[in-house]
Amino acid sequence: MQMHDLASVAESFFAPGKGILAADESVHTAVERLSVRGIATSAEMRRQYRDLFFGAEGIERYLSGVILFSDSLQDKGDDGKLFPDSLAARGILPGVKVDLGTEPISASSTELITQGLLDLPERLAEYKKQGSVFTKWRAVIRIDGDLLPTAGAIHENVKRLAIYAKEAQNAGMVPILEPEVLYEGRHSRQRARRVMADALSTLFAVLDEHAVDLTGVLLKTAMALSGHESGKADTPDEVAEDTVAVLLENVPAQVAGVVFLSGGQTPDQATCHLEAIVRRARSAGAPWPLTFSYARALQDEALDIWKGKPENVPAAREAFLRRLALVSAALK
Ligand code: 13P
């Protein structure tokens, strides 16, 4: 695929009122999401969990893309169609998480480093054959007071993001680069903003060193929030002001677009923060389009209703569509 094709795929995620569903939980995380709700965690229940969302009628009104876990590329919905085919038939781009999760950067550290570069070219070729048109790689950046993150962990994580981005573009698939600054912790919003600035400025310097074409990448970012355990509730305007400022200061205008993760915010928080961010970005003349790429904020309400029971599927899908409509309206 030519670079201008990647850029036009990247642009298509930002159709008015549309965004991305992140449904790429690893087996470990999917098992966790089900078991906390008392739902069985077999491969079949995990397939039904995906189908709850992918099989909901009308999602194409709100979704331009869905990020899948690699196993789901080969799974089928109750309609008998492979998930990537059924999404693509409704005009929703199927993509795949290509990192292989995290491990501690050293035996005595709580900082995490993302794995998955070694066999990446082979896996990318396989995912492409299975219908994936874009990809995601998540790096995790943990804040602990003034101690963490270390510059070394940020640097190693963004170096891997850059190598991944180059490989994904070479394979003809748009990379979504996700340096997630975790919401967990007692830090202030100002500290989150400074860490985001460090991570983003390092990321774009290293992408430049690796000659990654920014017109064919998406940035997936957290919002600037006071840590979840800080006891401080930010107002939507505070979140929007700091988030938009840190993005304007550190994200080059050529980047195809910016998408947000929900990170453990409630669905309502993730919705009203997005609304405030979009409004602020517009008034500040931000050069890139913005949208959502949520997992938990889109799925949690539906999962709570579903409980793994077929008779709850219609009500759970209704809750999912209601949340999609709210998040979509936040983009206007
Ligand atoms: P959350 O919206 O639940 O943070 O998930 C988004 C995501 O893709 C994490 O990698």
Side-chain angles (χ1 to χ4, degrees):
M1 196 184 280
Q2 301 290 310
M3 203 52 227
H4 65 268
D5 296 326
L6 287 179
S8 72
V9 171
E11 208 183 292
S12 66
F13 289 105
F14 300 90
K18 292 191 184 181
I20 300 172
L21 167 66
D24 59 338
E25 295 81 2
S26 62
V27 173
H28 176 84
T29 306
V31 163
E32 201 174 281
R33 298 276 184 270
L34 298 180
S35 58
V36 294
R37 295 174 169 90
I39 304 171
T41 61
S42 60
E44 168 54 19
M45 288 311 286
R46 286 185 271 120
R47 187 200 65 79
Q48 287 186 29
Y49 157 44
R50 304 308 187 183
D51 198 46
L52 178 69
F53 298 101
F54 305 160
E57 213 179 301
I59 54 173
E60 64 276 11
R61 292 202 296 276
Y62 310 111
L63 294 178
S64 50
V66 171
I67 315 173
L68 300 148
F69 184 63
S70 52
D71 292 1
S72 299
L73 292 172
Q74 301 171 74
D75 278 339
K76 291 178 181 165
D78 290 345
D79 61 1
K81 291 188 191 145
L82 287 162
F83 285 138
D85 294 346
S86 121
L87 292 167
R90 287 173 284 165
I92 301 170
L93 297 177
V96 63
K97 167 191 173 79
V98 304
D99 67 75
L100 298 178
T102 57
E103 65 175 23
I105 196 163
S106 69
S108 57
S109 176
T110 55
E111 288 196 288
L112 299 171
I113 194 82
T114 303
Q115 308 294 307
L117 288 179
L118 277 185
D119 59 349
L120 185 59
E122 294 78 18
R123 290 191 294 113
L124 287 170
E126 189 58 30
Y127 299 149
K128 195 173 184 193
K129 263 195 255 159
Q130 293 170 340
S132 182
V133 298
F134 72 99
T135 61
K136 183 193 99 172
W137 179 286
R138 173 176 180 252
V140 176
I141 296 160
R142 187 189 300 285
I143 302 178
D144 181 3
D146 289 329
L147 295 176
L148 299 183
T150 61
I154 289 181
H155 203 275
E156 184 58 30
N157 267 310
V158 306
K159 189 177 84 186
R160 293 181 186 201
L161 276 164
I163 295 169
Y164 143 71
K166 197 77 195 167
E167 295 286 0
Q169 290 186 337
N170 285 342
M173 289 186 283
V174 170
I176 299 185
L177 311 181
E178 182 182 16
E180 177 175 357
V181 174
L182 292 181
Y183 181 28
E184 285 162 28
R186 313 178 68 86
H187 52 273
S188 65
R189 188 180 70 255
Q190 291 73 16
R191 172 81 175 131
R193 174 175 164 172
R194 283 195 300 275
V195 171
M196 286 173 68
D198 283 349
L200 292 172
S201 59
T202 312
L203 173 65
F204 287 104
V206 174
L207 290 174
D208 187 50
E209 288 167 16
H210 288 254
V212 173
D213 187 328
L214 299 183
T215 65
V217 307
L218 301 186
L219 172 70
K220 178 159 175 166
T221 178
M223 300 172 184
L225 299 167
S226 300
H228 190 250
E229 288 79 41
S230 66
K232 168 94 174 50
D234 308 304
T235 67
D237 283 343
E238 288 171 337
V239 173
E241 183 176 338
D242 280 333
T243 303
V244 173
V246 76
L247 293 175
L248 285 173
E249 284 158 13
N250 295 286
V251 181
Q254 303 96 290
V255 168
V258 177
V259 300
F260 293 94
L261 59 96
S262 60
Q265 301 178 69
T266 65
D268 282 340
Q269 283 173 325
T271 306
C272 60
H273 289 159
L274 181 69
E275 201 254 335
I277 288 170
V278 167
R279 194 166 5 98
R280 177 136 195 128
R282 196 166 289 140
S283 68
W288 359 256
L290 305 175
T291 193
F292 58 88
S293 175
Y294 293 162
R296 283 165 287 178
L298 288 175
Q299 297 180 30
D300 279 356
E301 293 156 307
L303 282 177
D304 288 342
I305 293 170
W306 178 45
K307 299 191 182 78
K309 300 202 166 88
E311 63 271 26
N312 294 337
V313 167
R317 283 181 171 162
E318 212 173 283
F320 176 46
L321 281 155
R322 201 160 45 236
R323 181 54 58 184
L324 277 172
L326 290 169
V327 173
S328 163
L331 299 169
K332 304 240 163 76

